Amino acid sequence: MTTDGILARILETVPETRPFLEEKYDLGPGEALTTSDSLLDVYAILLDGLVRPVLQPALAAPERHEDLLRRCFGFVEEIYAIDTELTRGAVYFQVLESLLDAREYLVNAVPFLQGSIREPVSKMLSAYEVEGYEDGLPPLSRAPSGHPPQGPVL
């Protein structure tokens, strides 16, 4: 994925973000969202399109929406993999730090932190001395097929 395709990719991967992005860009339902130059809005796309309206409610829901959470964190990993200071900063400050907004966000996110974002989250938890995670995230364990590995439940 290129930096220019961020908006198109979030809409493809996490279509639940569409109504919030339509509102952000003041578009009517179904009206086409521009997908070029989305790098300029990556912080707002992540916070106002993904984190606040979709990811945090899914992490706080009494019943875990595993498919949605897998898609959300998969998209975040794709953005992080672009490997620019802007995209990595946006992921860190808008998504990863948002996991600290409520204990349930972090605890429910741990099983979905599998790829390239696992290490930065682990370092963040250790640096901030988050209770129960002072040494970072626990090692990944093998889980039954189709289910994410489980971390500690606090």
Side-chain angles (χ1 to χ4, degrees):
M1 174 173 44
T2 65
T3 54
D4 215 28
I6 291 172
L7 188 56
R9 186 65 181 146
I10 193 172
L11 292 170
E12 179 183 313
T13 307
V14 190
E16 293 86 347
T17 61
R18 178 172 279 284
F20 306 103
L21 292 168
E22 286 174 345
E23 182 179 326
K24 176 189 172 2
Y25 292 105
D26 198 28
L27 300 172
E31 195 173 334
L33 288 162
T34 180
T35 56
S36 63
D37 297 324
S38 57
L39 177 62
L40 301 175
D41 285 341
V42 70
Y43 277 79
I45 289 168
L46 290 174
L47 188 64
D48 299 329
L50 179 69
V51 172
R52 288 182 181 153
V54 178
L55 183 60
Q56 286 180 335
L59 289 169
E63 205 168 297
R64 194 176 294 168
H65 303 282
E66 290 189 13
D67 177 61
L68 175 59
L69 290 170
R70 260 190 226 98
R71 288 185 287 116
C72 287
F73 284 110
F75 170 75
V76 170
E77 286 181 31
E78 286 185 53
I79 298 300
Y80 194 76
I82 293 173
D83 198 18
T84 67
E85 188 175 327
L86 178 65
T87 55
R88 289 204 168 192
V91 166
Y92 187 87
F93 293 112
Q94 302 301 68
V95 181
L96 304 184
E97 281 196 345
S98 77
L99 298 177
L100 301 178
D101 289 351
R103 186 69 175 183
E104 63 194 345
Y105 297 160
L106 175 60
V107 170
N108 290 333
V110 167
F112 299 93
L113 301 172
Q114 302 295 311
S116 60
I117 59 173
R118 188 171 179 83
E119 184 180 342
V121 171
S122 190
K123 287 179 179 178
M124 175 185 68
L125 297 174
S126 180
Y128 290 165
E129 298 178 352
V130 175
E131 185 180 339
Y133 297 95
E134 294 87 356
D135 295 324
L137 291 172
L140 290 173
S141 61
R142 301 294 275 166
S145 181
H147 297 284
Q150 297 298 310
V153 179
L154 305 171

